[in-house]
Amino acid sequence: MSGRLSPAAAQALVCETLARARTSPENAAHVAEALVGAELAGQAGHGLRRLPSYAAQAAVGKIDGFAVPAATATRPGALSVDAAHGFAYPAMALAVERLPEMARAQGIALAGIRRSHHAGVTGLVAERLAETGLVALVFVNSPPAMAAWGGRRAVFGTNPIAFAAPLAEAAPVVIDLSLSKVARGKVLAAQQAGEAIPEDWALDADGQPTADPAAALAGTMVPAGDAKGAALALMVELLAAGLTGAHFAAEASSFLDAAGPPPGTGQAILAIDPGALSADAIARFGVLAAMVEGDGDARLPGRRRHALRARLSEEGIPLDPALAKEIEAIGRSG
């Protein structure tokens, strides 16, 4: 099973594994799409490496693998989604399904998701909405990983944000970033691979820089842009948790293990019809995109991801032997 897997084989692997860990076929399919999408985007920390912890949490009920998300329109342009302590991906898929019609009718629409879980590569959600012709903003909170600027106690998650805008004759512009200096998934990937991390990524429990990924996971992540990143992380907590009724980071259990209650984190997804304010908005997006791409070696955010997706789709997704062995053992007695 190790080596390289086609995207279809990788999705089948996720579905088969989660079937052994108390997860419905429908939910497993959503998870498989998200994890393989992360691998194809070059974000392995949000890809197949998450499968063992997901399965462990589903097996004990920290994630309800049979949860069915429910959506209620609380206003003409507002959608409240209860992920029911299941995986985040079915709830986000429900929001992405419902938002386009609402946004086109109202000009703008918002979905707030509560009682949720790890949201993976946030840019994939924004990109899906942009592919329907909408501008999208996605805000996601996560368990405690960053301190407020000047503090030492983790009160914010790494809290990724994403933005996507459609272009008339090209793939969307996609901006996807964690508000920590690097995504915590990269630290997790380093720990699983037995590798050190750069000392400017994270602080240990004593607030000191560390190259040890285990110490980093027990400490706090360094915010991107220092005080600015910490301020933006606060903004995301207010939008993704305060606004939606989800747990704040400091109230949430870990995404990484099966201990404790469900994390109950949240996501806020904003969809905007670009034609609501300007009939030529998408054409104007294209003008700016051309300015960026026409300037030396500059490239639009998201373009590297598209190239990598094409290459990995052809060459296959790498799966290291240790992870393959761990996945193979999930849910099997003896």
Side-chain angles (χ1 to χ4, degrees):
M1 184 174 64
S2 59
R4 287 187 175 270
L5 301 176
S6 70
Q11 289 197 21
L13 173 64
V14 175
C15 290
E16 291 162 6
T17 302
L18 290 177
R20 303 194 300 270
R22 299 179 58 191
T23 297
S24 71
E26 295 80 9
N27 287 342
H30 282 293
V31 175
E33 180 182 11
L35 297 192
V36 172
E39 292 284 350
L40 295 177
Q43 297 292 331
H46 294 300
L48 296 177
R49 291 187 180 277
R50 293 278 176 166
L51 185 52
S53 65
Y54 280 5
Q57 291 173 71
V60 301
K62 183 174 180 178
I63 300 172
D64 182 352
F66 294 92
V68 178
T72 303
T74 60
R75 299 285 194 280
L79 190 69
S80 177
V81 181
D82 182 1
H85 292 312
F87 290 101
Y89 307 115
M92 291 191 297
L94 180 58
V96 169
E97 176 187 333
R98 295 280 299 272
L99 281 173
E101 181 178 357
M102 297 173 70
R104 292 192 180 96
Q106 305 298 321
I108 187 169
L110 171 70
I113 303 172
R114 66 188 185 280
R115 298 207 300 170
S116 194
H117 199 272
H118 177 244
V121 179
T122 311
L124 296 176
V125 179
E127 185 177 32
R128 282 196 288 272
L129 285 167
E131 288 171 346
T132 72
L134 300 174
V135 174
L137 283 157
V138 184
F139 306 93
V140 173
N141 89 318
S142 54
M146 287 199 307
W149 190 246
R152 293 177 61 180
R153 180 170 59 91
V155 292
F156 306 143
T158 56
N159 291 10
I161 59 177
F163 168 86
L167 297 177
E169 298 180 1
V173 176
V174 180
I175 299 170
D176 183 0
L177 52 92
S178 167
L179 294 179
S180 54
K181 189 166 186 177
V182 298
R184 205 162 186 240
K186 290 188 176 181
V187 179
L188 175 64
Q191 181 190 41
Q192 291 177 330
E195 299 172 352
I197 60 171
E199 288 193 350
D200 60 349
W201 282 12
L203 308 175
D204 64 18
D206 296 321
Q208 299 301 310
T210 180
D212 180 355
L217 292 171
T220 60
M221 301 296 293
V222 173
D226 298 329
K228 294 177 181 179
L232 288 173
L234 170 60
M235 177 193 76
V236 173
E237 289 289 338
L238 295 172
L239 289 171
L243 189 66
T244 67
H247 283 162
F248 290 120
E251 299 170 325
S253 63
S254 174
F255 289 157
L256 302 178
D257 58 50
T265 50
Q267 295 91 33
I269 306 173
L270 188 67
I272 304 167
D273 182 352
L277 297 177
S278 170
D280 65 346
I282 293 180
R284 293 290 293 158
F285 294 164
V287 170
L288 183 55
M291 290 181 188
V292 172
E293 292 189 311
D295 183 12
D297 293 330
R299 63 185 178 191
L300 289 170
R303 291 299 181 256
R304 174 185 169 277
R305 174 183 292 178
H306 295 138
L308 184 60
R309 183 182 296 163
R311 179 171 65 80
L312 290 176
S313 295
E314 181 177 348
E315 296 177 358
I317 295 166
L319 178 63
D320 71 67
L323 179 59
K325 185 176 181 180
E326 187 178 2
I327 291 172
E328 178 64 24
I330 290 170
R332 299 187 190 278
S333 61

